[in-house]
Amino acid sequence: MDLVFGALADPTRRAILARLAEGEATVNELVAPFELSQPTISKHLKVLEGAGLVSRGRNAQFRPVRLNAKPLAEASRWIGDYRRFWDESLDQLEAYVKDLQAKGEPS
């Protein structure tokens, strides 16, 4: 999961994933919206591929890049566990403040 969060830390890689969420693309198609060179985008793709977030296929002359959402789902579940913790903590704080207000104490 460290590789997934490391890959997601970069805004260019997040933008590439957002584009791939719309469908597969060639490297040249991924280069187009950025002011970056093809080798730079390829380096980003290698990081994403190393994290298991993308895969490359073979279709005649070109190798389309595809999104692999499974690692994102795993990261989301992990974050979700902490979200429940914070939601429960905030619910307890809210109940405590309401109790103080009911007793007439300043909050």
Side-chain angles (χ1 to χ4, degrees), residues 46 62 93:
K46 283 183 183 180
F62 61 90
L93 178 61

Side-chain angles (χ1 to χ4, degrees), residues 19-26 29-30 57 59 62 64-67:
R19 165 54 187 88
L20 292 174
E22 298 171 8
E24 68 183 27
T26 65
E29 290 170 334
L30 294 172
N59 189 357
F62 61 90
V65 181
R66 295 180 187 95
L67 175 67

Side-chain angles (χ1 to χ4, degrees), residues 15-79:
I16 290 170
L17 291 176
R19 165 54 187 88
L20 292 174
E22 298 171 8
E24 68 183 27
T26 65
V27 173
N28 287 335
E29 290 170 334
L30 294 172
V31 169
F34 299 100
E35 293 182 13
L36 299 171
S37 68
Q38 189 271 340
T40 300
I41 293 296
S42 290
K43 286 179 183 179
H44 283 296
L45 289 172
K46 283 183 183 180
V47 172
L48 292 169
E49 197 169 13
L53 293 166
V54 300
S55 61
R56 296 184 197 213
R58 264 205 200 276
N59 189 357
Q61 262 94 298
F62 61 90
R63 296 179 56 181
V65 181
R66 295 180 187 95
L67 175 67
N68 177 14
K70 184 178 179 184
L72 291 173
E74 292 168 4
S76 179
R77 272 193 300 280
W78 185 82
I79 290 170

Side-chain angles (χ1 to χ4, degrees), residues 96-97 99-107:
Y96 176 72
V97 169
D99 185 50
L100 288 178
Q101 289 172 338
K103 292 178 182 176
E105 297 178 25
S107 51

